Amino acid sequence: MAAMTDTKHATGVLASERPPEAAGHGWDPAAIRAQFPILSREVNGHPLVYLDNAASSQQPLRVLNRVERYLREEHANVHRGVHRLSAEATEAYEGARRSVAAHAGTRDPAEIVFTRGATEAVNLVASSWGDASIGTGDEIVLTKMEHHSNLVPWQLLAGRTGCKLRFVDVTPEGTLDLDDYDRLLGRRSRLVACTHVSNSLGTVNPVREIVDRAHAAGALTLIDGAQAAPHMLTDVAKIGCDFYAFSSHKMCGPTGVGALWARRELLEEMPPYQGGGEMISEVKLEGSSWAKIPHKFEAGTPNISGVVGFGEAARFLADLGSEAIASHEGALKRAVLGRLREIQGLHLYGPREERGRTAVFSFAYGDVHPHDLSTILDQRGIAIRAGHHCNQPLMDHYGISSTARASFYFYNSPGEIDVLCDGLAMAAEVFGGVA
Ligand code: PLP
């Protein structure tokens, strides 16, 4: 993905917004779907329509088979052994690091630290960089649309250090208020931590602009890429940020594994996040020295099979091609927007136009409670999400406690949009009309 040359694209404009001829060739929706065994199961007597991809995506056979092969044939502990299996496991683990690095757009695999997910990646930065660099009176700029994963770690840091958290406002259209951002940035700003794509609204934030303004104010930047890395080119060099966090399970890989990308110089300067085996160079009773990056940040036996699956998922997405993925998702997004706009009583949160959003749709449906709606749709085999989506401050901003959320991925089909809309019509009947 690093090979892409379109700066705008890397900074948050989707490939689907390019002319159609730029999209990938040879995209065969049925063949792609067939690679995901779970998509052919039934739920409550209906074919599964899986629209909860923003929470967790499904895994293709390629990833399932790779993890199984690792467990059946290559499993051993990594890095320490000199025997054959340990060498093979280490190669599988470090090979995954190279694939994930390529996905993030870095040529330097040592800049990729494996974590339990985007959540742990943010916690790592807040604990290691934050504890070492932040003091009373310093400010960290966040936004009101952050996932709790990119909020609570900073609240904990504020509790430990006395730093202040400032929050960029969200406009009624569900975009960031960049004038407010400019007002909040100042000489006390030490870090701007912002989501690349909102997991509730689907808003694609202008991360390059956000990063440039932060750097001009002398602040570092962390981008939460959990909802971007699965869908669009991720090129950390072009985004220009200092830290980028993302998760495997949102991009066709296993759960419980993710990555932090950080600039080499930062990782080299930062103190370890956790202590234990694997992260040391030498240990004496009086004290220890640290392994080189990235191992300095990977204490203990890692989630080896998860990392191997993550690497295979990154290669799978690379083989599909990010332009083809974004193109297909762009077509779905257009179609869903068109249909949802026609549904009476449905109020969509977030950008109402295609541009600057992904195929994540949060909505209210009259006064039907999102949990009731989700339960009714589940009876038709349709999986959507209902709740606050780990975005409680954003829900407060809109004066609501929850939304219904349908989130699409490249393996979803236009036919599934019809099923969703039929399901919504059926729900309206059950509730005696939706106004
Ligand atoms: N950030 C965003 C925007 C997310 O959507 C999520 C997951 O929903 C996370 C962070 C946390 O990811 P994980 O639970 O994989 O650590």
Side-chain angles (χ1 to χ4, degrees):
M1 288 193 177
M4 282 302 301
T5 50
D6 184 338
T7 308
K8 262 182 124 186
H9 187 80
T11 57
V13 176
L14 304 178
S16 55
E17 289 158 1
R18 295 169 163 190
E21 59 274 17
H25 299 288
W27 184 271
D28 180 348
I32 286 168
R33 254 185 105 75
Q35 295 178 54
F36 291 81
I38 202 167
L39 297 180
S40 57
R41 69 161 281 184
E42 292 197 343
V43 168
N44 292 325
H46 296 273
L48 169 66
V49 174
Y50 187 74
L51 302 177
D52 194 16
N53 295 287
S56 210
S57 59
Q58 300 298 347
Q59 296 171 45
L61 269 173
R62 222 177 113 165
V63 170
L64 302 174
N65 289 342
R66 181 65 191 95
V67 172
E68 186 182 338
R69 176 155 69 86
Y70 164 76
L71 291 171
R72 282 180 184 273
E73 297 175 21
E74 301 165 10
H75 172 65
N77 212 326
V78 288
H79 298 135
R80 308 176 219 185
V82 287
H83 58 81
R84 174 69 179 264
L85 274 192
S86 179
E88 287 184 8
T90 302
E91 176 45 33
Y93 185 82
E94 293 303 328
R97 198 188 306 276
R98 292 192 291 276
S99 301
V100 171
H103 188 87
T106 174
R107 288 176 203 281
D108 185 356
E111 292 185 333
I112 293 291
V113 176
F114 286 123
T115 61
R116 285 191 297 118
T119 303
E120 193 181 35
V122 177
N123 276 278
L124 191 163
V125 178
S127 295
S128 168
W129 176 84
D131 283 342
S133 318
I134 294 293
T136 313
D138 286 340
E139 293 183 358
I140 293 180
V141 178
L142 306 169
T143 81
K144 290 186 184 170
M145 65 166 75
E146 295 315 308
H147 188 281
H148 298 166
S149 298
N150 195 29
L151 167 56
V152 180
W154 306 113
Q155 291 175 335
L156 293 171
L157 178 67
R160 294 196 297 274
T161 63
C163 73
K164 275 210 177 74
L165 306 183
R166 316 290 303 268
F167 298 97
V168 181
D169 214 348
V170 173
T171 67
E173 296 76 42
T175 58
L176 288 181
D177 180 343
L178 293 180
D179 292 334
D180 191 44
Y181 178 47
D182 283 339
R183 276 191 294 276
L184 295 182
L185 269 178
R187 59 183 181 80
R188 291 178 187 277
S189 312
R190 300 296 314 282
L191 178 82
V192 174
C194 167
T195 192
H196 195 158
V197 172
S198 162
N199 60 301
S200 280
L201 306 176
T203 313
V204 182
N205 288 322
V207 283
R208 176 77 215 202
E209 209 172 321
I210 288 166
V211 164
D212 285 348
R213 292 188 198 186
H215 285 168
L220 294 184
T221 50
L222 178 146
I223 303 298
D224 172 355
Q227 296 290 343
H231 302 284
M232 61 184 77
L233 280 174
T234 312
D235 191 332
V236 289
K238 285 180 181 153
I239 294 169
C241 56
D242 302 287
F243 302 103
Y244 197 90
F246 54 111
S247 283
S248 152
H249 69 102
K250 307 217 192 251
M251 45 184 280
C252 298
T255 53
V257 59
L260 171 71
W261 169 85
R263 279 197 292 115
R264 171 176 270 278
E265 313 83 81
L266 281 166
L267 287 177
E268 279 169 349
E269 281 166 19
M270 283 159 51
Y273 162 56
Q274 292 177 331
E278 303 266 357
M279 52 73 72
I280 50 85
S281 165
E282 197 178 25
V283 176
K284 301 271 185 215
L285 287 180
E286 298 73 28
S288 305
S289 56
W290 317 132
K292 288 194 171 20
I293 66 162
H295 306 292
K296 178 171 82 173
F297 294 104
E298 294 179 4
T301 301
N303 175 1
I304 307 169
S305 61
V307 164
V308 169
F310 188 12
E312 190 63 27
R315 290 189 287 275
F316 174 70
L317 294 182
D319 288 349
L320 285 178
S322 57
E323 294 215 12
I325 290 172
S327 172
H328 185 69
E329 287 185 22
L332 285 171
K333 176 177 66 173
R334 266 188 294 286
V336 178
L337 266 177
R339 295 291 297 276
L340 293 187
R341 280 200 204 107
E342 285 169 4
I343 296 179
Q344 209 197 338
L346 189 145
H347 173 78
L348 186 66
Y349 295 97
R352 292 190 60 78
E353 304 302 324
E354 302 164 25
R355 209 174 166 75
R357 64 142 45 251
T358 60
V360 171
F361 303 94
S362 263
F363 56 91
Y365 197 38
D367 56 6
V368 178
H369 194 285
H371 282 114
D372 293 337
L373 180 61
S374 177
T375 304
I376 295 235
L377 293 179
D378 183 56
Q379 288 166 9
R380 287 278 178 111
I382 307 165
I384 65 159
R385 193 102 179 153
H388 54 63
H389 318 299
C390 297
N391 272 145
Q392 281 185 341
L394 184 66
M395 299 294 132
D396 290 345
H397 173 77
Y398 283 111
I400 52 178
S401 59
S402 61
T403 71
R405 182 183 73 182
S407 53
F408 291 72
Y409 207 8
F410 59 83
Y411 43 65
N412 287 120
S413 67
E416 290 178 313
I417 304 173
D418 296 334
V419 178
L420 172 66
C421 293
D422 290 350
L424 290 170
M426 177 196 70
E429 271 174 35
V430 170
F431 289 101
V434 168

